[in-house]
């Protein structure tokens, strides 16, 4: 079975490279568009090289610490997880950047052709994430048979995820906010106008944040959830290999269903979301069928209640479906939440902000109810292992979810290229339609990533408690215990402090971009008249340096807090910390990502001609709301997701030293 699982993981990687080659075989002909695409590619590669250089120094320090205090296998696992996570993001991002110009040129022909290329480009990232994730986890288990080594692997993936999510988010929003504040509001020029010095940096940011960052994020979620299920299975069913192999087998079955589901994605009557949903639902249905024989086979040795375990797995798929529907409701232009923010914009900037904050708070209610009820039913059906299998089942759709997400930055870049290269109005119209959907798909993916992170974190917390029991310390976490309460308070403030540092980082980096754009508008003769070219490279360089400098403190903070709490106050307080960070982290992440996306689409709803359209007071207010929402949805909110899991993984690594 393990040979089959590894073979299927390799199939996903081969499928990704086959799609990649199909895209690269498409020829481009517009020289101006090629030059713009090449500038975006160079900026993206330069940024990631610098990021990996900085992260490598931090990883080297952690490798030394792991070697001293743990062992070689755990350290090797850490290194493997970090490299695989970085590789998934890097290769996916390169494909996305190569796809954008091809989507823009295809938009001259038809919407359906452009859509097909954009989805294939996104699918490369999607299948690299699940393929590499399953490959490294299953191969590492096969070679080491060491649970602690797998936890080290999860830590490596988590570290890269936090840095990629955080630094990419700071970069993309600093460039975006800087471009909007000076370009749109002060100079009154359109989005993606080639006269704006920050426009290339903005397009680079879409790739390093929404493509490379999301790929690293969901690679880590996929790998950590699988590892957490394996760990819990080994504790609940000691010596029973079926409990360890089942999560890997479900992952392999899901890759098969996702590859088949990808061929169901076909656009009809310009309904883009329907085409994407068709592939997602087909994949979910095939997964549900493939799970039956696998769970029946493996559950024989686990008390035989295979139907209960299967239903726990189905709950994971149901949670995914409901999270997707709820997130679309709160972030799509078609529904009340976004339209209410647009309507509030008519009376000015203040009412736009108030309405947006209200929607961001409201958007937490339904997802939390869905996650809470799903966990309860899964536990009722098959205990803690039922929750683990539910989480693994939820991650079964990762391949297509990441494909749908990466579709967003590809179409966004395609629209920017079409604008800057003076493509015909029909091509720009087609890229605008794709880009509008891309905003919603990015929000849906973030909602999915956060919900799955919540389930994964709860499985990791259960593993932490089980590890304490295995080490001879039966711990009950009671609110009346001041040590537990102290931990809950520490964990509760962590997402707030992390979010604050992330938002402050965007503000500082954006200020640098604003000053640079203003300087170029003022000092380059003929720039505003279109007679001179801006210095795009300068803005790219400023955004890169600022984002990498500002990411270090918020990324290191959760690791330090966990270690200090554990060694100063002990395992009870550390357990309380894990409870606090899961609860407040989930609420904050959902609120920020859904609220930010709603602000963004409220602006786009007005730009379509509603409430006065472009240039109106409502539009100016909506731009302000979008500027606030940008770091909400693309920096702080998504980065809280891997931060929650880093905290739990570090707790598992140090628990043996606390007892």
């Amino acid at each position: 079975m393990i040979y089959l699982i590894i073979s299927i993981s390799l199939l996903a990687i081969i499928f990704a490279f086959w799609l990649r080659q199909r895209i690269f075989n498409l020829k481009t002909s517009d020289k101006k568009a090629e030059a713009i695409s090449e500038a975006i590619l160079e900026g993206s590669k330069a940024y990631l090289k610098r990021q990996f250089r900085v992260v490598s120094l931090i990883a080297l320090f952690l490798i030394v610490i792991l070697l001293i205090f743990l062992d070689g296998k755990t350290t090797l696992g850490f290194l493997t997880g970090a490299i695989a996570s970085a590789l998934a993001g890097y290769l996916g991002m390169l494909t996305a950047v190569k796809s954008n110009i091809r989507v823009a040129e295809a938009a001259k022909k038809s919407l359906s052709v452009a859509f097909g290329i954009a989805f294939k480009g996104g699918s490369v990232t999607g299948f690299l994430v699940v393929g590499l994730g399953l490959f490294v986890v299953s191969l590492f288990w096969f070679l080491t048979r060491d649970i602690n080594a797998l936890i080290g692997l999860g830590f490596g993936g988590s570290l890269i995820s936090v840095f990629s999510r955080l630094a990419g988010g700071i970069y993309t929003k600093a460039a975006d906010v800087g471009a909007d504040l000076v370009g749109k509001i002060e100079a009154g020029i359109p989005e993606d106008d080639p006269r704006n010095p920050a426009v290339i940096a903005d397009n680079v940011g879409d790739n390093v944040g929404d493509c490379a960052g999301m790929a690293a994020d969901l690679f880590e979620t996929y790998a950590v959830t699988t590892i957490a299920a394996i760990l819990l299975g080994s504790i609940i069913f000691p010596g029973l290999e079926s409990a360890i192999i089942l999560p890997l087998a479900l992952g392999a079955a899901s890759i098969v269903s996702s590859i088949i589901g990808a061929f169901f994605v076909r656009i009809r009557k310009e309904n883009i979301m329907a085409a994407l949903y068709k592939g997602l639902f087909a994949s979910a249905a095939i997964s549900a069928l493939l799970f039956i024989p696998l769970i029946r086979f493996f559950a024989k040795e686990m008390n035989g209640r295979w139907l209960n375990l299967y239903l726990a797995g189905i709950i994971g798929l149901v949670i995914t479906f409901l999270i997707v529907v709820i997130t679309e409701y709160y972030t799509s232009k078609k529904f009340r939440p976004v339209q209410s923010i647009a309507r509030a914009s008519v009376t000015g900037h203040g009412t736009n902000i108030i309405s947006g904050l209200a929607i961001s708070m409201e958007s937490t209610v339904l997802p939390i109810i869905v996650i809470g009820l799903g966990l309860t039913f899964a536990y009722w059906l098959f205990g803690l292992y039922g929750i683990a299998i539910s989480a693994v089942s939820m991650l079964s759709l990762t391949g297509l979810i990441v494909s749908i997400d990466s579709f967003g930055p590809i179409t966004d870049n395609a629209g920017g290229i079409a604008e800057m290269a003076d493509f015909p109005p029909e091509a720009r119209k087609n890229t605008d339609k794709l880009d509008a959907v891309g905003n919603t798909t990015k929000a849906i993916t973030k909602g999915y990533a956060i919900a799955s992170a919540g389930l994964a974190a709860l499985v990791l917390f259960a593993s932490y408690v089980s590890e304490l029991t295995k080490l001879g310390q039966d711990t009950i976490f009671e609110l009346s215990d001041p040590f537990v309460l102290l931990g809950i308070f520490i964990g509760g403030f962590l997402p707030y402090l992390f979010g604050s540092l992330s938002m402050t980082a965007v503000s500082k980096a954006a200020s640098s971009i604003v000053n640079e754009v203003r300087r170029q508008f003022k000092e380059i003769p003929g720039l505003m008249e279109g007679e001179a070219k801006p210095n795009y490279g300068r803005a790219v360089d400023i955004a890169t340096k600022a984002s990498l400098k500002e990411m270090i403190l918020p990324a290191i903070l959760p690791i330090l807090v966990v270690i200090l709490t554990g060694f100063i106050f002990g395992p009870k307080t550390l357990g309380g910390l894990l409870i606090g960070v899961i609860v407040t982290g989930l609420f904050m992440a959902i609120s920020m990502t859904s609220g930010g996306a709603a602000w963004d689409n409220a602006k786009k709803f007005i730009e379509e001609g509603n409430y006065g359209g472009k240039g109106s007071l409502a539009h100016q207010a909506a731009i302000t709301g979008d500027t606030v929402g940008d770091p909400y949805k693309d920096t702080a909110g998504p980065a809280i997701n891997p931060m929650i899991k880093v905290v739990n993984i570090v707790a598992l690594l140090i628990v043996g030293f606390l007892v």
Side-chain angles (χ1 to χ4, degrees):
M1 178 60 74
I2 198 74
Y3 289 126
L4 181 60
I5 290 166
I6 292 170
S7 299
I8 290 173
S9 68
L10 289 172
L11 174 66
I13 297 169
I14 292 166
F15 183 66
F17 277 99
W18 175 71
L19 289 173
R20 191 172 188 259
Q21 197 55 49
R22 286 191 68 185
I23 294 166
F24 287 8
N25 286 340
L26 298 171
K27 303 298 180 186
T28 58
S29 56
D30 191 296
K31 298 300 178 188
K32 190 174 181 182
E34 285 174 356
I36 295 165
S37 180
E38 190 61 32
I40 296 169
L41 175 63
E42 288 305 312
S44 301
K45 287 166 74 173
Y47 167 81
L48 281 185
K49 282 178 183 175
R50 281 196 193 179
Q51 178 184 295
F52 291 151
R53 203 178 304 140
V54 173
V55 175
S56 295
L57 294 174
I58 296 166
L60 189 61
F61 171 75
L62 290 171
I63 284 169
V64 173
I65 297 295
L66 290 172
L67 278 172
I68 293 170
F69 291 102
L70 292 170
D71 55 62
K73 285 182 184 177
T74 305
T75 307
L76 182 61
F78 170 80
L79 191 59
T80 303
I83 291 171
S85 179
L87 195 61
Y90 187 70
L91 292 175
M93 186 211 70
L94 289 184
T95 305
V97 177
K98 290 280 190 179
S99 301
N100 56 31
I101 184 173
R102 289 160 173 84
V103 172
E105 293 216 15
K108 294 177 182 177
K109 302 173 187 174
S110 73
L111 179 68
S112 61
V113 176
F115 168 82
I117 297 169
F119 179 72
K120 286 186 182 74
S123 296
V124 173
T125 308
F127 285 100
L128 278 174
V129 165
V130 293
L132 282 169
L134 185 62
F135 178 73
V136 296
V137 173
S138 55
L139 184 64
F140 213 75
W141 169 253
F142 175 68
L143 294 175
T144 66
R145 305 280 167 163
D146 189 327
I147 296 292
N148 287 329
L150 282 182
I151 296 171
L153 192 152
F155 182 41
S158 295
L159 184 77
I160 293 295
S161 176
V162 169
F163 278 111
S164 296
R165 253 298 177 209
L166 195 55
I170 294 168
Y171 182 107
T172 185
K173 290 306 108 183
D176 195 2
V177 169
D180 283 355
L181 284 178
V182 186
K184 280 185 181 180
I185 294 178
E186 293 182 14
I189 60 177
E191 192 169 355
D192 297 320
D193 191 297
R195 291 172 291 177
N196 193 326
V199 75
I200 294 294
D202 187 10
N203 283 304
V204 168
D206 289 330
N207 292 292
V208 300
D210 284 326
C211 192
M214 176 55 82
D217 183 353
L218 275 169
F219 170 89
E220 176 253 4
T221 300
Y222 184 88
V224 166
T225 304
T226 307
I227 291 165
I230 290 171
L231 174 59
L232 206 55
S234 70
I235 294 169
I236 296 170
F237 303 101
L240 191 63
E241 193 150 5
S242 294
I244 292 171
I245 299 297
L246 178 57
L248 299 173
L250 295 180
S254 303
I255 284 177
V256 174
S257 66
S258 295
I259 290 173
I260 298 169
F263 289 100
F264 280 81
V265 179
R266 293 285 184 275
I267 191 169
R268 287 182 183 175
K269 297 180 181 177
E270 297 195 352
N271 195 334
I272 300 165
M273 281 306 297
L276 296 170
Y277 279 152
K278 198 185 301 178
L280 194 61
F281 294 148
S283 178
I286 296 164
S287 289
L289 290 173
L290 292 176
F291 285 177
I292 295 173
L294 286 171
I295 291 176
R296 284 192 70 170
F297 175 76
F298 283 103
K300 285 177 185 175
E301 299 171 312
M302 297 182 213
N303 76 23
R305 291 185 299 146
W306 76 268
L307 185 58
N308 285 36
L309 191 56
Y310 174 71
L311 291 174
I314 294 300
I315 284 171
L317 295 176
V318 172
I319 291 173
T320 301
F321 170 75
L322 291 175
I323 292 294
V324 166
V325 170
I326 292 165
T327 307
E328 185 183 2
Y329 173 72
Y330 276 101
T331 58
S332 173
K333 293 177 292 183
K334 297 182 290 185
F335 303 111
R336 174 194 62 85
V338 168
Q339 292 180 11
S340 69
I341 297 173
R343 187 165 56 252
S345 304
V346 173
T347 48
H349 302 258
T351 46
N352 170 282
I353 298 297
I354 292 167
S355 179
L357 287 172
I359 291 299
S360 73
M361 293 177 198
E362 181 192 320
S363 68
T364 63
V365 178
L366 290 177
I368 293 296
I369 290 172
V370 166
I371 294 167
L373 289 177
L375 288 170
T376 304
F377 287 129
Y379 182 83
W380 177 70
L381 285 164
F382 211 88
L384 289 175
Y385 194 68
I387 295 176
I389 292 303
S390 183
V392 169
S393 173
M394 188 174 182
L395 267 294
S396 69
L397 300 175
T398 298
L400 275 182
I401 292 282
V402 177
S403 302
I404 290 170
D405 175 76
S406 297
F407 169 92
I410 290 171
T411 56
D412 194 346
N413 272 203
I417 289 170
E419 174 79 26
M420 288 185 279
D422 299 318
F423 276 23
E426 188 60 33
R428 183 60 173 151
K429 186 179 174 184
N430 285 333
T431 57
D432 281 347
K433 287 177 182 176
L434 292 170
D435 185 24
V437 171
N439 267 328
T440 302
T441 62
K442 285 187 282 187
I444 286 170
T445 308
K446 285 162 189 160
Y448 168 82
I450 292 160
S452 58
L455 285 177
L458 286 163
V459 175
L460 288 167
F461 176 71
S463 301
Y464 174 80
V465 176
S466 300
E467 276 289 313
L468 283 176
T469 304
K470 195 170 78 172
L471 292 166
Q473 186 163 335
D474 290 323
T475 305
I476 299 172
F477 296 96
E478 294 178 333
L479 281 176
S480 58
D481 188 328
F483 284 96
V484 174
L485 200 57
L486 174 63
I488 291 172
F489 286 156
I490 294 171
F493 79 62
L494 252 184
Y496 284 91
L497 181 57
F498 182 85
S500 168
L501 291 170
S502 304
M503 296 279 284
T504 303
V506 172
S507 178
K508 287 180 181 176
S511 296
S512 304
I513 296 294
V514 166
N515 291 333
E516 176 60 22
V517 174
R518 283 174 178 162
R519 184 193 69 78
Q520 291 197 33
F521 278 156
K522 184 179 178 181
E523 295 179 9
I524 299 178
L527 178 57
M528 291 304 294
E529 292 76 25
E531 296 167 0
K533 279 186 69 176
N535 186 347
Y536 296 125
R538 175 75 179 146
V540 169
D541 190 55
I542 288 171
T544 300
K545 287 178 180 175
S547 61
L548 293 177
K549 177 187 172 186
E550 299 295 339
M551 77 173 178
I552 294 172
L553 177 59
I556 295 296
L557 174 75
I559 299 173
L560 291 177
V561 170
V562 171
I563 293 171
L564 290 173
T565 301
F567 283 102
I568 294 172
F569 298 107
K572 265 194 178 183
T573 305
L574 183 54
L577 183 151
L578 301 183
I579 296 168
V581 81
I582 291 168
V583 173
T584 61
L586 268 179
F587 277 94
M588 278 198 72
I590 293 169
S591 173
M592 285 180 156
T593 52
S594 293
W599 258 315
D600 191 350
N601 276 339
K603 179 196 70 175
K604 286 182 167 53
F605 184 73
I606 291 170
E607 287 173 346
E608 290 175 353
N610 300 292
Y611 300 113
K614 289 183 179 180
S616 64
L617 173 63
H619 186 228
Q620 292 295 312
I623 291 172
T624 301
D626 181 34
T627 303
V628 175
D630 271 341
Y632 248 50
K633 70 180 172 63
D634 289 327
T635 308
I640 288 172
N641 164 26
M643 187 273 282
I644 293 170
K645 296 193 292 299
V646 163
V647 166
N648 281 270
I649 286 281
V650 173
L652 276 172
L653 283 171
I654 67 171
V655 67
F657 297 99
L658 306 180
V659 178

